[in-house]
Amino acid sequence: MKKIISTLVVAVVFLAGCTATTDNSYLEPLHTAKLQSILIVPVNNGTIDVQAPTSVLATLPFSLAEKGYYTFPVHTVKTILESEGYYEAAEVHAAPAENLAALFGADSVLYVTIHEWEAKYVILSTTTQVDFEYRLVDKHGEQLWHARKQLAYSPQQQNSTGNPFADLIAMAITAAIERAAPNYLPLTRTANAEVFYGLGTALPPGPYSPAYQEYYRQLELQKAN
Amino acid sequence: MKTKIITITAAILLLSGCATNKNLYEWGNYEETLFVYFHEPEVKDQMLTNYLTFIEKAQAGSAKKVAPGLFAEAGTFMLEKNDVESALRFYQLEHKTWPESRSMMEIMISNLEARKAQAAAQ
């Protein structure tokens, strides 16, 4: 019975997810901006884990490009920033967004900060507790969107968020890409997928998404009513 | 077991129902390549070779487009190996494929061409 209910919940959430009928007021700046491209700058690390920021950085393009946005090549961007004297992510985050956007010809800049990355070792498994902050600003430096994600990740277990829709998306994405170095990439993929696709924080489809035209058509219809 | 079936069914429904959940692009081993590149130097060369093979193959003909930025990354990897010709070729591919990349790629391409001209003059 419980399982039937959970299936129904999944189906309902799923249907709602495709037409965007939930409270979407946070989306208004994004709807106005209609971004084409996102410059993902190096991830700021507030922890002592040296592999964490590059793991987050490596997995950000997938979720965002699959949403339909042009994502700038993160390694190339990092290399160019280093040649411009920005060796530390913190320096990049402190630089004016409009300068960064102009340097690369980007519509928007995505800043991600890792506030927590802590592996807790227990007898049978490892749980990694993470806390990420995501901030998207336009090319003038105005904030368009903001999200914070806390997650406890255990590689062996099913990692539920209590949001079946986000869970399934995360599963589908994880399954779609090949096996990687344990823990780091699956963890960051899960967090990114939950943020960019989850209820309350999901980004609207970008111009390369097959859903783009229909999404904005529906939005116009809703406004007209 | 039952849960698994339900989950799989739901996942199939989800994937077939909503076009946005299918991958738009070919990604190859992009994320793994970056991770290895940053953290596991002993297998870096192998990983880069695999990545370039994927890029060449995907470019030659595949149903889906190569994901945004991936040609440019190949260019940067080649540049780090001091292969300016290949780097130029990949930057030009990125430039051609993605209009959003043009202002950035034009800078990279003109820098490399200047570097080439300088090397030829010497």
Side-chain angles (χ1 to χ4, degrees):
Chain A
M1 188 57 200
K2 219 170 158 189
K3 276 156 197 168
I4 293 172
I5 291 172
S6 69
T7 316
L8 283 174
V9 171
V10 168
V12 170
V13 171
F14 154 65
L15 289 170
C18 280
T19 50
T21 48
T22 40
D23 175 23
N24 286 336
S25 54
Y26 77 96
L27 285 168
E28 276 165 24
L30 292 165
H31 288 158
T32 312
K34 282 200 174 182
L35 300 178
Q36 300 258 343
S37 64
I38 302 175
L39 174 69
I40 305 164
V41 295
V43 172
N44 197 7
N45 193 11
T47 75
I48 53 161
D49 194 303
V50 292
Q51 295 191 324
T54 38
S55 301
V56 176
L57 188 67
T59 52
L60 284 167
F62 180 81
S63 302
L64 291 167
E66 289 290 334
K67 270 266 162 194
Y69 297 97
Y70 177 80
T71 48
F72 284 79
V74 290
H75 175 57
T76 305
V77 166
K78 190 172 180 284
T79 309
I80 293 173
L81 287 171
E82 283 169 6
S83 75
E84 296 285 315
Y86 293 106
Y87 288 96
E88 297 294 329
E91 293 170 343
V92 180
H93 285 227
E98 48 272 40
N99 294 4
L100 292 172
L103 179 62
F104 293 94
D107 275 1
S108 65
V109 185
L110 178 72
Y111 298 96
V112 179
T113 298
I114 303 172
H115 290 292
E116 187 186 1
W117 186 295
E118 205 179 330
K120 296 192 169 80
Y121 297 94
V122 285
I123 295 163
L124 289 174
S125 69
T126 311
T127 298
T128 309
Q129 179 74 40
V130 297
D131 178 357
F132 300 156
E133 187 176 1
Y134 302 74
R135 203 164 69 86
L136 189 64
V137 306
D138 71 10
K139 61 182 170 192
H140 309 294
E142 291 290 320
Q143 181 168 309
L144 296 172
W145 172 91
H146 176 264
R148 187 106 184 215
K149 184 82 212 169
Q150 275 116 354
L151 187 77
Y153 185 86
S154 310
Q156 265 78 40
Q157 274 160 238
Q158 214 29 270
N159 186 51
S160 182
T161 53
N163 175 348
F165 184 63
D167 283 356
L168 282 176
I169 296 282
M171 274 170 48
I173 287 174
T174 308
I177 24 193
E178 285 170 48
R179 294 275 157 267
N183 303 355
Y184 280 89
L185 296 182
L187 191 169
T188 58
R189 276 172 196 149
T190 305
N192 294 338
E194 286 178 10
V195 164
F196 298 127
Y197 291 82
L199 289 177
T201 54
L203 295 179
Y208 290 107
S209 165
Y212 183 73
Q213 300 290 343
E214 181 60 16
Y215 180 89
Y216 280 98
R217 203 179 66 84
Q218 290 291 338
L219 204 69
E220 286 304 312
L221 288 175
Q222 275 173 33
K223 269 187 205 159
N225 287 333
Chain B
M1 188 56 203
K2 222 170 159 190
T3 326
K4 215 176 184 178
I5 292 171
I6 289 170
T7 319
I8 291 169
T9 312
I12 291 168
L13 272 176
L14 180 82
L15 288 169
S16 55
C18 197
T20 51
N21 300 329
K22 292 179 192 162
N23 284 2
L24 285 177
Y25 304 115
E26 294 285 352
W27 288 87
N29 56 352
Y30 177 62
E31 295 178 339
E32 293 81 357
T33 302
L34 288 182
F35 186 86
V36 163
Y37 181 86
F38 292 127
H39 302 297
E40 290 167 50
E42 68 280 7
V43 286
K44 188 173 121 177
D45 282 341
Q46 184 55 46
M47 203 69 188
L48 284 184
T49 307
N50 291 348
Y51 180 71
L52 292 168
T53 309
F54 151 74
I55 289 286
E56 297 285 5
K57 253 195 215 159
Q59 183 206 333
S62 68
K64 289 178 192 170
K65 266 176 114 169
V66 173
L70 267 59
F71 289 131
E73 303 284 46
T76 302
F77 290 135
M78 295 320 285
L79 192 57
E80 281 156 13
K81 288 173 180 272
N82 280 319
D83 184 344
V84 176
E85 283 302 327
S86 303
L88 264 175
R89 190 164 58 85
F90 285 123
Y91 287 149
Q92 273 153 355
L93 259 174
E94 181 81 16
H95 181 280
K96 194 177 113 194
T97 315
W98 304 100
E100 297 84 356
S101 78
R102 282 183 192 157
S103 97
M104 174 188 183
M105 286 300 113
E106 272 158 23
I107 298 171
M108 300 303 281
I109 291 166
S110 59
N111 280 350
L112 286 189
E113 273 166 356
R115 196 202 275 199
K116 245 175 68 180
Q118 210 175 22
Q122 277 167 4

